Amino acid sequence: MRKAFNLLKENYETVLLVLASFFLLLALIKPQIQLKQAVHNYLLVADVSQSMNAEDMKVNNQPVSRLVYTQHMMKEVVKTSPCGTYVSVGIFAAENVALLFMPLEVCKNFDIINDTIDHLEWRMAWSGNSRMTFGVKAAEATFDYLNIPAQMLFFTDGDESPKANGINKLDISNVRIGKNVIFVGVGGHEPAPIKRFNANNKFVGYWGTDAAAESAGGGIMYNDASLDDPDPPVAYAEFDRYLSKLDVEHLQAMTAEIKGQYVEGIDKPEFYNFVQSQAPAAKFITDYSVRWLFLIITALLVLATYLPDALSYRFGGRVFKRQIS
């Protein structure tokens, strides 16, 4: 035993460096363990109703529609989310919210999530009207279906058709998910015309006041090409165009009613920092990397090879002095 101890003492540098190499190799393998962690779980809901086709937003200084701007912001939320964050995507139209997929981890499914967001468009809408209060109720049902706590980012201009009033407005004060809802306002503050497309997604003109009223009342089914292709009715003059803007007042009123949050969707770091600053909404069993631990052990082992020299210098060579052959 004493002989083995002396051998180890004489070759301590080699032993420490071998151990350091071993832990460095473990770090390179990307070791992970399974842990139940509190994580961010975002449900990104995009309003795909007709008013989201109004072009009053900009991305990279280029004019884009509210829906394209929403897609850009959604992808930035995904991009700025750390690994371990979960995301699901849904759409809102008429009175309902449709879930496109269940929560997916952002790093493992980055391309799938972004591809889904890239393919969001107005033709996904199943009806021409848009009632936000009913949509909030539908979102509550979607939460029940998820059966997993989530933070919902509801991207919308808040522009309803028909406009909410005392008759058609739904009481949402008893909505249970208010603390999990963030309305993200998308749209300009000045009235803008709404582009209209046929069923082949070809631009044919702008929505007119009469056509907008017809859509709101009848609920045009955009998936029926016979009703909207090839030449749907459009405004015949500029003064006849239906104008839309971000309805901040309506969104803030709904926010107050459900005790949620409202934030204007501005494509700046402050917005994405606000999103990431939300408290984790769910707990998932996820992969937890312990690479950092192995790297620290590696560094300590390498530093330990210099410890005898440091101590020898500190105590004038009286202890831990290295033997010189």
Side-chain angles (χ1 to χ4, degrees):
M1 180 67 71
R2 186 177 181 83
K3 186 177 180 180
F5 177 78
N6 289 333
L7 183 64
L8 181 62
K9 184 178 179 181
E10 292 174 359
N11 298 279
Y12 72 93
E13 284 187 339
T14 302
V15 173
L16 290 174
L17 290 175
V18 169
L19 288 173
S21 300
F22 173 72
F23 282 103
L24 180 60
L25 180 62
L26 288 179
L28 293 175
I29 299 175
K30 298 182 179 180
Q32 295 175 330
I33 58 175
Q34 296 286 314
L35 286 178
K36 190 170 186 178
Q37 303 179 77
V39 300
H40 286 106
N41 180 31
Y42 297 116
L43 169 55
L44 309 180
V45 176
D47 185 344
V48 294
S49 60
Q50 286 288 338
S51 61
M52 295 294 284
N53 284 330
E55 284 191 357
D56 55 0
M57 304 302 293
K58 286 187 176 182
V59 173
N60 297 324
N61 290 321
Q62 298 297 317
V64 296
S65 70
R66 298 169 188 172
L67 183 53
V68 170
Y69 188 79
T70 293
Q71 291 171 290
H72 170 73
M73 295 198 75
M74 281 184 164
K75 290 194 291 184
E76 286 298 311
V77 168
V78 175
K79 181 180 177 181
T80 56
S81 295
C83 291
T85 302
Y86 283 74
V87 167
S88 50
V89 175
I91 56 174
F92 162 73
E95 302 173 355
N96 291 297
V97 171
L99 185 65
L100 300 184
F101 59 78
M102 297 294 281
L104 297 175
E105 199 277 331
V106 292
C107 289
K108 293 180 180 179
N109 303 279
F110 186 80
D111 292 336
I112 296 173
I113 296 171
N114 280 310
D115 183 66
T116 301
I117 294 172
D118 280 332
H119 285 84
L120 298 177
E121 61 162 281
W122 69 273
R123 286 182 295 180
M124 289 179 165
W126 43 88
S127 182
N129 55 352
S130 171
R131 298 185 178 184
M132 291 293 303
T133 50
F134 285 84
V136 172
K137 275 288 189 181
E140 186 174 42
T142 302
F143 266 66
D144 291 338
Y145 178 75
L146 275 176
N147 198 30
I148 301 169
Q151 190 79 53
M152 183 174 73
L153 300 179
F154 199 137
F155 294 83
T156 179
D157 55 16
D159 187 9
E160 291 194 331
S161 179
K163 297 294 185 183
N165 55 49
I167 299 176
N168 62 20
K169 182 179 181 296
L170 186 67
D171 179 16
I172 56 174
S173 59
N174 61 346
V175 167
R176 307 185 313 273
I177 63 170
K179 65 179 182 180
N180 299 97
V181 177
I182 301 176
F183 288 110
V184 182
V186 178
H189 292 270
E190 297 298 326
I194 303 172
K195 284 189 169 183
R196 188 165 192 182
F197 302 84
N198 63 20
N200 294 320
N201 209 29
K202 179 181 178 181
F203 173 60
V204 293
Y206 293 92
W207 277 87
T209 52
D210 293 342
E214 174 191 353
S215 172
I220 292 176
M221 302 299 290
Y222 294 108
N223 57 350
D224 186 347
S226 65
L227 294 179
D228 206 21
D229 188 44
D231 297 309
V234 296
Y236 61 88
E238 186 172 340
F239 65 82
D240 187 46
R241 294 175 181 175
Y242 179 84
L243 302 179
S244 168
K245 68 176 182 177
L246 172 61
D247 195 340
V248 176
E249 184 178 343
H250 183 42
L251 289 174
Q252 289 180 336
M254 287 194 299
T255 298
E257 192 169 0
I258 67 173
K259 297 179 175 59
Q261 296 184 77
Y262 170 78
V263 60
E264 188 164 345
I266 300 177
D267 185 25
K268 291 184 178 181
E270 292 79 6
F271 171 78
Y272 304 108
N273 291 337
F274 166 78
V275 172
Q276 300 303 335
S277 70
Q278 302 303 305
K283 287 188 176 181
F284 286 95
I285 296 178
T286 60
D287 293 332
Y288 180 75
S289 174
V290 292
R291 173 187 287 182
W292 63 272
L293 177 60
F294 291 143
L295 289 175
I296 289 176
I297 294 175
T298 300
L300 291 175
L301 288 170
V302 172
L303 290 174
T305 63
Y306 297 96
L307 185 60
D309 286 337
L311 290 174
S312 177
Y313 177 79
R314 172 68 177 82
F315 296 103
R318 287 173 295 175
V319 293
F320 300 103
K321 190 171 182 180
R322 179 178 297 183
Q323 296 180 359
I324 302 176
S325 58

